[in-house]
Amino acid sequence: MLKTLPLDHAELSFDDRGTGPVVVLVHGFPLDHTMWQHQIEALASDYRVLSPDLRGFGRSTGASTTTTMERMADDLAAMLDGLGIVQPVTLCGLSMGGYVAWEFWRKYGNRLGALVLCDTRAAPDSPEAAANRRKVADEVMTSGPAPVAESLLPKLFALQSFEKNREVVEQVRRSIESADARAIAAAQRGMAARSDFTDRLGDVDVPALVLVGSEDVITPPAEVRAMAGALPHAQFFEISGAGHMAPLEDPQACNAHLLAFLAKHAK
């Protein structure tokens, strides 16, 4: 069920399903909450599943010049406040959603019961990558989101997904092409300026599930495995044959790991 919540100069839209321990699903760039459709269906019978559209994406408003990862984490805390949720939650983020999860842990660690990190990293952008993000941010304001979709799609999916799961690829293409150019630009600038959490991983004292597609070229499995190894209480799994969008490319495998983890750690 879609709900809305007024925020500071914005309105947050989010899907709210089920009852029980709270799981928050945080989408990647430049998508919206619908990328979690298979996870929402799998979890909502036993958990309360909140899946927001991050600021400016989907049906949420409020994109500015730069939307920082901290600002997005603040929005998640405001959503929990607005719903009167005080118990610790499980926060699951993919890619940019993982960057938001690190900030949520940093600022609201007492509200976090467990972490699920999908196809993401703790390191910041290199200077070259950050410069490219800022360049894309400027370009999208004149060219719109279609060129972003064209350049990003080959990196998001494993090759076999283009051959065997074309419908999912086209779904993501439509999602990117319908995104607000201002939100894309603002999030790119925010990701370019994001913090480095690599030296703080040893301080993350909650259980963590770390998933990555074996064919992920954006956050390669070796890097994600090393990140998981630096977390004190982490389980790591590779999703065979999937790329950066593992929860969409192989929802059965991702859901099996997710459900097993939640059964142990979600309270």
Side-chain angles (χ1 to χ4, degrees):
M1 174 182 174
L2 280 179
K3 297 180 178 179
T4 57
L5 180 77
L7 299 172
D8 180 28
H9 304 296
E11 185 173 78
L12 188 74
S13 175
F14 59 97
D15 191 278
D16 184 357
R17 307 260 189 108
T19 58
V22 177
V23 181
V24 181
L25 303 175
V26 189
H27 65 79
F29 171 87
L31 308 173
D32 59 34
H33 82 278
T34 59
M35 64 146 285
W36 295 113
Q37 58 191 357
H38 301 295
Q39 287 67 48
I40 294 169
E41 292 166 6
L43 300 181
S45 57
D46 296 300
Y47 301 94
R48 184 175 184 182
V49 186
L50 304 175
S51 45
D53 289 335
L54 293 171
R55 184 174 286 244
F57 292 99
R59 297 189 181 185
S60 292
T61 64
S64 57
T65 303
T66 301
T67 304
T68 66
M69 304 301 99
E70 181 181 9
R71 171 75 271 184
M72 292 180 180
D74 291 341
D75 290 346
L76 298 183
M79 177 184 69
L80 298 178
D81 288 342
L83 294 172
I85 294 171
V86 295
Q87 72 267 37
V89 304
T90 298
L91 188 61
C92 173
L94 179 136
S95 196
M96 181 177 73
Y99 309 155
V100 177
W102 296 128
E103 290 292 346
F104 191 90
W105 166 77
R106 182 180 68 82
K107 291 192 74 173
Y108 307 103
N110 62 318
R111 308 188 75 164
L112 191 63
L115 269 174
V116 181
L117 301 158
C118 301
D119 300 276
T120 192
R121 56 167 50 99
D125 281 344
S126 67
E128 296 78 16
N132 186 63
R133 285 195 194 277
R134 291 188 289 268
K135 178 172 175 280
V136 172
D138 292 340
E139 290 172 348
V140 75
M141 294 305 297
T142 55
S143 302
V148 176
E150 205 60 40
S151 65
L152 196 53
L153 278 173
K155 303 172 189 174
L156 290 180
F157 293 97
L159 183 60
Q160 70 177 34
S161 294
F162 287 92
E163 298 167 352
K164 300 178 180 177
N165 214 348
R166 192 72 203 182
E167 185 179 332
V168 167
V169 175
E170 290 308 313
Q171 172 194 335
V172 169
R173 179 192 296 277
R174 290 191 297 271
S175 183
I176 297 173
E177 289 180 346
S178 66
D180 186 337
R182 293 169 299 175
I184 293 175
Q188 283 280 45
R189 295 188 185 104
M191 286 189 287
R194 72 184 187 275
S195 299
D196 184 355
F197 282 89
T198 50
D199 290 339
R200 304 189 64 183
L201 295 177
D203 299 328
V204 179
D205 58 354
V206 297
L209 172 66
V210 182
L211 303 176
V212 66
S214 65
E215 309 304 312
D216 191 339
V217 297
I218 296 178
T219 50
E223 180 184 354
V224 181
R225 182 187 292 273
M227 180 185 77
L231 292 166
H233 311 291
Q235 297 173 271
F236 172 80
F237 297 98
E238 268 188 43
I239 307 302
S240 180
H244 195 62
M245 297 299 299
L248 265 174
E249 292 175 271
D250 192 345
Q252 285 188 322
C254 288
N255 290 352
H257 292 305
L258 186 52
L259 286 165
F261 177 78
L262 292 172
K264 272 188 181 179
H265 300 293
K267 299 178 175 65

